[in-house]
Amino acid sequence: MKSVAVNGYGTIGKRVADAVSAQDDMKIVGVSKTKPDFEARMAVEKGYDLYISIPEREKLFQDAGIEISGTVDEMLDKTDIVVDCTPEGIGAKNLEIYKKLGIKAIFQGGEKHDNVGLSFNSFANYSDSFGKDYARVVSCNTTGLTRTLKPINDLCGIKKVRAVMVRRGGDPSQINKGPINAVVPNPPTVPSHHGPDLKTVMYGVNINTVALLVPTTLMHQHNLMVELENPVDVDEIKAKLNATPRVLLVKASEGLGSTAELMEYAKELGRSRNDLFEIPVWEESLNVVDGELYYMQAVHQESDVVPENVDAIRAMLEMEEENNKSIAKTNKAMGIL
Ligand code: NAP
């Protein structure tokens, strides 16, 4: 049983903590917070040992009646690996601390690839992280692109990808990003960072992306145009995506024609926090015209990277050599379709 610490118990961190707890070969030794808010209180109520990132704030936690087990330094002493889920940019600073302590660490997509030196996706490059000390699970958008482009590349080869990324303005609880009422080219320059980011896990893929922010909090939405190396028909693509774990073919004609309805579907599945770990692809959108594949998909930004974090732990701690075995184990424990 391997020990895992989660540094930063926020949107991603709390989901990673629960996903790790659901596995039978790893356990959570602690989670961290800077603020004594309801999430800190609920972490303790759930049974997690809570550690504080800013030792000077101990009294604030005491005054709030939230029991702490120590500081992050003490948490790091007890673990085989840390999953850093702190806000963008803080992980790069934490990397120096982990290096000094000799602790393996997984970072999130908000950190720059170059700072960590290795990026991870369960399907594209699992074995590259086997036994490694530091890796970064690519962002929610890049994870979404990889989940569908990797199997398509395996099936028929990809000459070139163009993708238009329609991004949510903020997460549902991020009131500091709203209220919002605009469409924002983000960035206004082309390409956006998503294409280059995909190349950190799908080496050599030819892709360009443009991105927009829109006033929604539920999900991202992607529109892909993929020039194929070898001719295939749509049914072959459907069969391939159908057989790919963590990808769901959904039908607009069955009432799943929008991100709102997909979130309703996640609720109906009885998922904790309404999470949709899988990448839904609209079946009606799949079409091949003049050797070019078109399709549309959505990404639940708060949860799609979570199973990848579990697989990254297995790879880096050399718990499972084959990606398919780790993916299947993670999926079973998390109830992924
Ligand atoms: P978040 O919800 O803001 O959570 C961040 C957590 O880190 C909070 O628990 C916060 O604790 C803690 N924290 C804040 N400052 C800290 C510090 N100086 N030292 C240690 N911990 C600190 O952020 P998030 O959305 O989960 O994002 C985390 C990472 O995942 C980022 O790299 C982000 O780009 C990436 N990511 C996010 C999404 C998404 O849609 N949210 C999707 C994929 C990847 P307090 O609340 O107590 O301050």
mmCIF file of all heavy atoms in Angstrom, residues 138-182:
data_model
loop_
_atom_site.group_PDB
_atom_site.id
_atom_site.type_symbol
_atom_site.label_atom_id
_atom_site.label_comp_id
_atom_site.label_asym_id
_atom_site.label_seq_id
_atom_site.Cartn_x
_atom_site.Cartn_y
_atom_site.Cartn_z
ATOM 1 N N VAL A 138 -1.128 16.663 -17.848
ATOM 2 C CA VAL A 138 -1.492 17.800 -18.711
ATOM 3 C C VAL A 138 -2.880 18.326 -18.355
ATOM 4 O O VAL A 138 -3.675 17.634 -17.717
ATOM 5 C CB VAL A 138 -1.407 17.442 -20.221
ATOM 6 C CG1 VAL A 138 0.042 17.303 -20.653
ATOM 7 C CG2 VAL A 138 -2.227 16.212 -20.566
ATOM 8 N N SER A 139 -3.183 19.536 -18.823
ATOM 9 C CA SER A 139 -4.405 20.241 -18.413
ATOM 10 C C SER A 139 -5.668 19.480 -18.812
ATOM 11 O O SER A 139 -5.629 18.520 -19.592
ATOM 12 C CB SER A 139 -4.428 21.615 -19.063
ATOM 13 O OG SER A 139 -4.746 21.460 -20.434
ATOM 14 N N CYS A 140 -6.784 19.967 -18.324
ATOM 15 C CA CYS A 140 -8.080 19.353 -18.641
ATOM 16 C C CYS A 140 -8.328 19.354 -20.158
ATOM 17 O O CYS A 140 -8.769 18.350 -20.729
ATOM 18 C CB CYS A 140 -9.203 20.080 -17.918
ATOM 19 S SG CYS A 140 -9.116 21.874 -18.036
ATOM 20 N N ASN A 141 -8.027 20.473 -20.814
ATOM 21 C CA ASN A 141 -8.238 20.546 -22.266
ATOM 22 C C ASN A 141 -7.308 19.604 -23.019
ATOM 23 O O ASN A 141 -7.723 18.917 -23.954
ATOM 24 C CB ASN A 141 -8.032 21.989 -22.751
ATOM 25 C CG ASN A 141 -9.266 22.833 -22.544
ATOM 26 O OD1 ASN A 141 -10.348 22.466 -22.983
ATOM 27 N ND2 ASN A 141 -9.118 23.956 -21.859
ATOM 28 N N THR A 142 -6.045 19.576 -22.630
ATOM 29 C CA THR A 142 -5.084 18.711 -23.323
ATOM 30 C C THR A 142 -5.420 17.242 -23.069
ATOM 31 O O THR A 142 -5.298 16.400 -23.973
ATOM 32 C CB THR A 142 -3.647 19.040 -22.869
ATOM 33 O OG1 THR A 142 -3.445 20.446 -23.002
ATOM 34 C CG2 THR A 142 -2.621 18.307 -23.705
ATOM 35 N N THR A 143 -5.873 16.935 -21.856
ATOM 36 C CA THR A 143 -6.300 15.563 -21.564
ATOM 37 C C THR A 143 -7.467 15.190 -22.484
ATOM 38 O O THR A 143 -7.498 14.091 -23.056
ATOM 39 C CB THR A 143 -6.706 15.431 -20.077
ATOM 40 O OG1 THR A 143 -5.548 15.680 -19.274
ATOM 41 C CG2 THR A 143 -7.255 14.047 -19.754
ATOM 42 N N GLY A 144 -8.409 16.116 -22.657
ATOM 43 C CA GLY A 144 -9.552 15.856 -23.548
ATOM 44 C C GLY A 144 -9.110 15.613 -24.978
ATOM 45 O O GLY A 144 -9.596 14.684 -25.643
ATOM 46 N N LEU A 145 -8.187 16.432 -25.464
ATOM 47 C CA LEU A 145 -7.687 16.240 -26.839
ATOM 48 C C LEU A 145 -6.991 14.881 -26.968
ATOM 49 O O LEU A 145 -7.199 14.147 -27.947
ATOM 50 C CB LEU A 145 -6.695 17.357 -27.207
ATOM 51 C CG LEU A 145 -7.261 18.770 -27.393
ATOM 52 C CD1 LEU A 145 -6.131 19.783 -27.592
ATOM 53 C CD2 LEU A 145 -8.215 18.819 -28.590
ATOM 54 N N THR A 146 -6.165 14.548 -25.983
ATOM 55 C CA THR A 146 -5.391 13.298 -26.067
ATOM 56 C C THR A 146 -6.299 12.076 -26.074
ATOM 57 O O THR A 146 -6.059 11.116 -26.816
ATOM 58 C CB THR A 146 -4.416 13.182 -24.866
ATOM 59 O OG1 THR A 146 -3.756 14.416 -24.694
ATOM 60 C CG2 THR A 146 -3.387 12.082 -25.097
ATOM 61 N N ARG A 147 -7.343 12.129 -25.223
ATOM 62 C CA ARG A 147 -8.225 10.960 -25.087
ATOM 63 C C ARG A 147 -8.819 10.524 -26.427
ATOM 64 O O ARG A 147 -9.013 9.329 -26.663
ATOM 65 C CB ARG A 147 -9.360 11.278 -24.116
ATOM 66 C CG ARG A 147 -8.913 11.386 -22.674
ATOM 67 C CD ARG A 147 -9.267 10.165 -21.859
ATOM 68 N NE ARG A 147 -8.932 10.405 -20.472
ATOM 69 C CZ ARG A 147 -9.774 10.931 -19.606
ATOM 70 N NH1 ARG A 147 -11.002 11.240 -19.980
ATOM 71 N NH2 ARG A 147 -9.398 11.119 -18.355
ATOM 72 N N THR A 148 -9.139 11.490 -27.311
ATOM 73 C CA THR A 148 -9.770 11.097 -28.576
ATOM 74 C C THR A 148 -8.769 11.059 -29.728
ATOM 75 O O THR A 148 -8.891 10.224 -30.629
ATOM 76 C CB THR A 148 -10.952 12.025 -28.921
ATOM 77 O OG1 THR A 148 -10.531 13.391 -28.841
ATOM 78 C CG2 THR A 148 -12.109 11.814 -27.958
ATOM 79 N N LEU A 149 -7.768 11.941 -29.711
ATOM 80 C CA LEU A 149 -6.827 11.960 -30.854
ATOM 81 C C LEU A 149 -5.875 10.761 -30.838
ATOM 82 O O LEU A 149 -5.486 10.262 -31.898
ATOM 83 C CB LEU A 149 -6.028 13.274 -30.859
ATOM 84 C CG LEU A 149 -6.854 14.498 -31.274
ATOM 85 C CD1 LEU A 149 -6.066 15.793 -31.035
ATOM 86 C CD2 LEU A 149 -7.270 14.402 -32.752
ATOM 87 N N LYS A 150 -5.523 10.285 -29.659
ATOM 88 C CA LYS A 150 -4.595 9.134 -29.591
ATOM 89 C C LYS A 150 -5.216 7.902 -30.263
ATOM 90 O O LYS A 150 -4.578 7.298 -31.138
ATOM 91 C CB LYS A 150 -4.223 8.878 -28.118
ATOM 92 C CG LYS A 150 -3.429 7.600 -27.860
ATOM 93 C CD LYS A 150 -2.018 7.707 -28.373
ATOM 94 C CE LYS A 150 -1.097 6.563 -28.007
ATOM 95 N NZ LYS A 150 -1.475 5.247 -28.480
ATOM 96 N N PRO A 151 -6.461 7.506 -29.903
ATOM 97 C CA PRO A 151 -7.022 6.337 -30.592
ATOM 98 C C PRO A 151 -7.226 6.558 -32.091
ATOM 99 O O PRO A 151 -7.060 5.619 -32.882
ATOM 100 C CB PRO A 151 -8.364 6.098 -29.883
ATOM 101 C CG PRO A 151 -8.633 7.310 -29.067
ATOM 102 C CD PRO A 151 -7.321 7.949 -28.785
ATOM 103 N N ILE A 152 -7.549 7.786 -32.492
ATOM 104 C CA ILE A 152 -7.725 8.051 -33.927
ATOM 105 C C ILE A 152 -6.372 7.924 -34.632
ATOM 106 O O ILE A 152 -6.267 7.328 -35.712
ATOM 107 C CB ILE A 152 -8.360 9.455 -34.144
ATOM 108 C CG1 ILE A 152 -9.808 9.435 -33.657
ATOM 109 C CG2 ILE A 152 -8.266 9.881 -35.608
ATOM 110 C CD1 ILE A 152 -10.453 10.797 -33.507
ATOM 111 N N ASN A 153 -5.333 8.425 -34.007
ATOM 112 C CA ASN A 153 -3.981 8.301 -34.592
ATOM 113 C C ASN A 153 -3.585 6.831 -34.701
ATOM 114 O O ASN A 153 -3.008 6.402 -35.710
ATOM 115 C CB ASN A 153 -2.982 9.073 -33.725
ATOM 116 C CG ASN A 153 -1.667 9.295 -34.433
ATOM 117 O OD1 ASN A 153 -1.635 9.507 -35.649
ATOM 118 N ND2 ASN A 153 -0.570 9.229 -33.696
ATOM 119 N N ASP A 154 -3.917 6.047 -33.664
ATOM 120 C CA ASP A 154 -3.597 4.611 -33.697
ATOM 121 C C ASP A 154 -4.353 3.925 -34.834
ATOM 122 O O ASP A 154 -3.826 3.012 -35.473
ATOM 123 C CB ASP A 154 -3.996 3.934 -32.375
ATOM 124 C CG ASP A 154 -3.095 4.357 -31.228
ATOM 125 O OD1 ASP A 154 -2.042 4.958 -31.479
ATOM 126 O OD2 ASP A 154 -3.463 4.086 -30.056
ATOM 127 N N LEU A 155 -5.580 4.356 -35.082
ATOM 128 C CA LEU A 155 -6.421 3.691 -36.089
ATOM 129 C C LEU A 155 -5.975 4.010 -37.510
ATOM 130 O O LEU A 155 -5.813 3.106 -38.330
ATOM 131 C CB LEU A 155 -7.887 4.137 -35.911
ATOM 132 C CG LEU A 155 -8.885 3.593 -36.928
ATOM 133 C CD1 LEU A 155 -9.122 2.106 -36.692
ATOM 134 C CD2 LEU A 155 -10.223 4.345 -36.844
ATOM 135 N N CYS A 156 -5.748 5.286 -37.793
ATOM 136 C CA CYS A 156 -5.550 5.631 -39.212
ATOM 137 C C CYS A 156 -4.488 6.697 -39.448
ATOM 138 O O CYS A 156 -4.294 7.128 -40.590
ATOM 139 C CB CYS A 156 -6.877 6.087 -39.820
ATOM 140 S SG CYS A 156 -7.659 7.401 -38.900
ATOM 141 N N GLY A 157 -3.787 7.108 -38.399
ATOM 142 C CA GLY A 157 -2.755 8.130 -38.572
ATOM 143 C C GLY A 157 -3.373 9.513 -38.731
ATOM 144 O O GLY A 157 -4.449 9.655 -39.294
ATOM 145 N N ILE A 158 -2.649 10.497 -38.213
ATOM 146 C CA ILE A 158 -3.136 11.880 -38.307
ATOM 147 C C ILE A 158 -2.105 12.709 -39.063
ATOM 148 O O ILE A 158 -0.925 12.714 -38.714
ATOM 149 C CB ILE A 158 -3.345 12.475 -36.888
ATOM 150 C CG1 ILE A 158 -4.563 11.827 -36.227
ATOM 151 C CG2 ILE A 158 -3.484 13.988 -36.944
ATOM 152 C CD1 ILE A 158 -4.791 12.267 -34.789
ATOM 153 N N LYS A 159 -2.589 13.400 -40.120
ATOM 154 C CA LYS A 159 -1.703 14.321 -40.850
ATOM 155 C C LYS A 159 -1.652 15.663 -40.138
ATOM 156 O O LYS A 159 -0.593 16.222 -39.933
ATOM 157 C CB LYS A 159 -2.292 14.543 -42.256
ATOM 158 C CG LYS A 159 -1.483 13.917 -43.373
ATOM 159 C CD LYS A 159 -1.948 14.470 -44.704
ATOM 160 C CE LYS A 159 -2.469 13.321 -45.568
ATOM 161 N NZ LYS A 159 -3.201 13.743 -46.743
ATOM 162 N N LYS A 160 -2.830 16.155 -39.794
ATOM 163 C CA LYS A 160 -2.888 17.492 -39.213
ATOM 164 C C LYS A 160 -4.202 17.685 -38.454
ATOM 165 O O LYS A 160 -5.246 17.218 -38.905
ATOM 166 C CB LYS A 160 -2.809 18.525 -40.333
ATOM 167 C CG LYS A 160 -2.840 19.948 -39.861
ATOM 168 C CD LYS A 160 -2.570 20.914 -40.986
ATOM 169 C CE LYS A 160 -2.527 22.306 -40.378
ATOM 170 N NZ LYS A 160 -1.698 23.214 -41.102
ATOM 171 N N VAL A 161 -4.113 18.365 -37.317
ATOM 172 C CA VAL A 161 -5.319 18.670 -36.530
ATOM 173 C C VAL A 161 -5.492 20.184 -36.438
ATOM 174 O O VAL A 161 -4.525 20.914 -36.194
ATOM 175 C CB VAL A 161 -5.193 18.137 -35.075
ATOM 176 C CG1 VAL A 161 -6.478 18.398 -34.291
ATOM 177 C CG2 VAL A 161 -4.818 16.669 -35.041
ATOM 178 N N ARG A 162 -6.727 20.629 -36.630
ATOM 179 C CA ARG A 162 -7.093 22.008 -36.284
ATOM 180 C C ARG A 162 -8.211 21.895 -35.251
ATOM 181 O O ARG A 162 -9.136 21.107 -35.452
ATOM 182 C CB ARG A 162 -7.608 22.783 -37.492
ATOM 183 C CG ARG A 162 -6.582 22.980 -38.581
ATOM 184 C CD ARG A 162 -7.190 23.748 -39.741
ATOM 185 N NE ARG A 162 -6.293 23.811 -40.868
ATOM 186 C CZ ARG A 162 -6.166 22.862 -41.799
ATOM 187 N NH1 ARG A 162 -6.888 21.763 -41.713
ATOM 188 N NH2 ARG A 162 -5.318 22.998 -42.784
ATOM 189 N N ALA A 163 -8.090 22.652 -34.167
ATOM 190 C CA ALA A 163 -9.130 22.560 -33.132
ATOM 191 C C ALA A 163 -9.513 23.943 -32.623
ATOM 192 O O ALA A 163 -8.646 24.798 -32.432
ATOM 193 C CB ALA A 163 -8.650 21.696 -31.964
ATOM 194 N N VAL A 164 -10.814 24.130 -32.445
ATOM 195 C CA VAL A 164 -11.335 25.365 -31.859
ATOM 196 C C VAL A 164 -11.823 24.998 -30.456
ATOM 197 O O VAL A 164 -12.736 24.180 -30.302
ATOM 198 C CB VAL A 164 -12.493 25.939 -32.701
ATOM 199 C CG1 VAL A 164 -13.015 27.231 -32.054
ATOM 200 C CG2 VAL A 164 -12.022 26.207 -34.135
ATOM 201 N N MET A 165 -11.198 25.611 -29.461
ATOM 202 C CA MET A 165 -11.475 25.262 -28.074
ATOM 203 C C MET A 165 -12.383 26.337 -27.471
ATOM 204 O O MET A 165 -11.984 27.500 -27.379
ATOM 205 C CB MET A 165 -10.178 25.236 -27.251
ATOM 206 C CG MET A 165 -8.923 24.787 -28.001
ATOM 207 S SD MET A 165 -8.796 23.027 -28.137
ATOM 208 C CE MET A 165 -8.539 22.571 -26.448
ATOM 209 N N VAL A 166 -13.591 25.928 -27.100
ATOM 210 C CA VAL A 166 -14.525 26.870 -26.464
ATOM 211 C C VAL A 166 -14.429 26.598 -24.965
ATOM 212 O O VAL A 166 -14.844 25.542 -24.485
ATOM 213 C CB VAL A 166 -15.956 26.656 -26.989
ATOM 214 C CG1 VAL A 166 -16.913 27.652 -26.345
ATOM 215 C CG2 VAL A 166 -15.983 26.801 -28.512
ATOM 216 N N ARG A 167 -13.848 27.550 -24.260
ATOM 217 C CA ARG A 167 -13.483 27.284 -22.856
ATOM 218 C C ARG A 167 -14.450 27.949 -21.885
ATOM 219 O O ARG A 167 -14.895 29.066 -22.112
ATOM 220 C CB ARG A 167 -12.074 27.812 -22.589
ATOM 221 C CG ARG A 167 -11.032 27.213 -23.500
ATOM 222 C CD ARG A 167 -9.730 27.971 -23.378
ATOM 223 N NE ARG A 167 -9.182 27.849 -22.036
ATOM 224 C CZ ARG A 167 -8.214 28.631 -21.558
ATOM 225 N NH1 ARG A 167 -7.725 29.603 -22.293
ATOM 226 N NH2 ARG A 167 -7.754 28.455 -20.341
ATOM 227 N N ARG A 168 -14.699 27.257 -20.777
ATOM 228 C CA ARG A 168 -15.571 27.831 -19.751
ATOM 229 C C ARG A 168 -14.848 29.051 -19.128
ATOM 230 O O ARG A 168 -13.634 29.069 -18.988
ATOM 231 C CB ARG A 168 -15.926 26.781 -18.690
ATOM 232 C CG ARG A 168 -14.743 26.106 -17.976
ATOM 233 C CD ARG A 168 -14.312 26.889 -16.764
ATOM 234 N NE ARG A 168 -13.260 26.263 -15.987
ATOM 235 C CZ ARG A 168 -11.991 26.616 -16.038
ATOM 236 N NH1 ARG A 168 -11.564 27.526 -16.882
ATOM 237 N NH2 ARG A 168 -11.112 26.045 -15.237
ATOM 238 N N GLY A 169 -15.675 30.061 -18.771
ATOM 239 C CA GLY A 169 -15.087 31.280 -18.216
ATOM 240 C C GLY A 169 -14.463 31.067 -16.850
ATOM 241 O O GLY A 169 -13.462 31.706 -16.509
ATOM 242 N N GLY A 170 -15.022 30.165 -16.053
ATOM 243 C CA GLY A 170 -14.489 29.867 -14.723
ATOM 244 C C GLY A 170 -15.147 28.605 -14.211
ATOM 245 O O GLY A 170 -16.106 28.110 -14.823
ATOM 246 N N ASP A 171 -14.624 28.055 -13.106
ATOM 247 C CA ASP A 171 -15.283 26.902 -12.492
ATOM 248 C C ASP A 171 -16.535 27.381 -11.758
ATOM 249 O O ASP A 171 -16.638 28.561 -11.405
ATOM 250 C CB ASP A 171 -14.327 26.200 -11.519
ATOM 251 C CG ASP A 171 -13.227 25.449 -12.255
ATOM 252 O OD1 ASP A 171 -13.419 25.163 -13.448
ATOM 253 O OD2 ASP A 171 -12.183 25.166 -11.642
ATOM 254 N N PRO A 172 -17.498 26.467 -11.493
ATOM 255 C CA PRO A 172 -18.763 26.894 -10.886
ATOM 256 C C PRO A 172 -18.598 27.703 -9.589
ATOM 257 O O PRO A 172 -19.380 28.603 -9.327
ATOM 258 C CB PRO A 172 -19.500 25.578 -10.630
ATOM 259 C CG PRO A 172 -18.986 24.665 -11.680
ATOM 260 C CD PRO A 172 -17.532 25.041 -11.866
ATOM 261 N N SER A 173 -17.581 27.387 -8.802
ATOM 262 C CA SER A 173 -17.456 28.105 -7.514
ATOM 263 C C SER A 173 -16.566 29.351 -7.606
ATOM 264 O O SER A 173 -16.383 30.052 -6.612
ATOM 265 C CB SER A 173 -16.899 27.164 -6.442
ATOM 266 O OG SER A 173 -15.582 26.797 -6.775
ATOM 267 N N GLN A 174 -16.023 29.627 -8.787
ATOM 268 C CA GLN A 174 -15.091 30.765 -8.905
ATOM 269 C C GLN A 174 -15.829 32.089 -9.094
ATOM 270 O O GLN A 174 -15.848 32.650 -10.194
ATOM 271 C CB GLN A 174 -14.117 30.535 -10.064
ATOM 272 C CG GLN A 174 -12.997 29.568 -9.718
ATOM 273 C CD GLN A 174 -12.040 29.385 -10.878
ATOM 274 O OE1 GLN A 174 -12.455 29.133 -12.001
ATOM 275 N NE2 GLN A 174 -10.755 29.520 -10.612
ATOM 276 N N ILE A 175 -16.411 32.608 -8.008
ATOM 277 C CA ILE A 175 -17.172 33.854 -8.138
ATOM 278 C C ILE A 175 -16.260 35.035 -8.453
ATOM 279 O O ILE A 175 -16.722 36.057 -8.934
ATOM 280 C CB ILE A 175 -18.015 34.145 -6.880
ATOM 281 C CG1 ILE A 175 -17.132 34.124 -5.630
ATOM 282 C CG2 ILE A 175 -19.169 33.170 -6.744
ATOM 283 C CD1 ILE A 175 -17.819 34.740 -4.435
ATOM 284 N N ASN A 176 -14.964 34.878 -8.211
ATOM 285 C CA ASN A 176 -14.037 35.967 -8.549
ATOM 286 C C ASN A 176 -13.899 36.152 -10.062
ATOM 287 O O ASN A 176 -13.398 37.153 -10.535
ATOM 288 C CB ASN A 176 -12.657 35.710 -7.932
ATOM 289 C CG ASN A 176 -12.044 34.399 -8.383
ATOM 290 O OD1 ASN A 176 -12.755 33.419 -8.570
ATOM 291 N ND2 ASN A 176 -10.738 34.357 -8.578
ATOM 292 N N LYS A 177 -14.352 35.153 -10.854
ATOM 293 C CA LYS A 177 -14.280 35.278 -12.317
ATOM 294 C C LYS A 177 -15.608 35.741 -12.906
ATOM 295 O O LYS A 177 -15.767 35.804 -14.118
ATOM 296 C CB LYS A 177 -13.861 33.952 -12.943
ATOM 297 C CG LYS A 177 -12.454 33.562 -12.557
ATOM 298 C CD LYS A 177 -11.808 32.675 -13.585
ATOM 299 C CE LYS A 177 -10.333 32.492 -13.258
ATOM 300 N NZ LYS A 177 -9.707 31.452 -14.066
ATOM 301 N N GLY A 178 -16.611 36.051 -12.088
ATOM 302 C CA GLY A 178 -17.902 36.445 -12.630
ATOM 303 C C GLY A 178 -18.539 37.534 -11.836
ATOM 304 O O GLY A 178 -17.936 37.990 -10.871
ATOM 305 N N PRO A 179 -19.727 37.969 -12.166
ATOM 306 C CA PRO A 179 -20.501 37.551 -13.342
ATOM 307 C C PRO A 179 -19.805 37.969 -14.639
ATOM 308 O O PRO A 179 -19.124 38.988 -14.665
ATOM 309 C CB PRO A 179 -21.826 38.299 -13.194
ATOM 310 C CG PRO A 179 -21.844 38.810 -11.789
ATOM 311 C CD PRO A 179 -20.440 38.954 -11.368
ATOM 312 N N ILE A 180 -20.029 37.163 -15.685
ATOM 313 C CA ILE A 180 -19.363 37.423 -16.958
ATOM 314 C C ILE A 180 -20.384 37.451 -18.075
ATOM 315 O O ILE A 180 -21.374 36.745 -18.023
ATOM 316 C CB ILE A 180 -18.289 36.353 -17.261
ATOM 317 C CG1 ILE A 180 -18.810 34.972 -16.913
ATOM 318 C CG2 ILE A 180 -16.991 36.665 -16.580
ATOM 319 C CD1 ILE A 180 -17.870 33.849 -17.241
ATOM 320 N N ASN A 181 -20.146 38.266 -19.104
ATOM 321 C CA ASN A 181 -21.054 38.311 -20.241
ATOM 322 C C ASN A 181 -20.282 38.755 -21.474
ATOM 323 O O ASN A 181 -20.386 39.892 -21.922
ATOM 324 C CB ASN A 181 -22.219 39.274 -19.961
ATOM 325 C CG ASN A 181 -23.220 39.269 -21.100
ATOM 326 O OD1 ASN A 181 -23.228 38.345 -21.916
ATOM 327 N ND2 ASN A 181 -24.040 40.287 -21.176
ATOM 328 N N ALA A 182 -19.448 37.850 -21.999
ATOM 329 C CA ALA A 182 -18.621 38.199 -23.160
ATOM 330 C C ALA A 182 -18.095 36.938 -23.816
ATOM 331 O O ALA A 182 -18.069 35.873 -23.197
ATOM 332 C CB ALA A 182 -17.439 39.060 -22.714
#
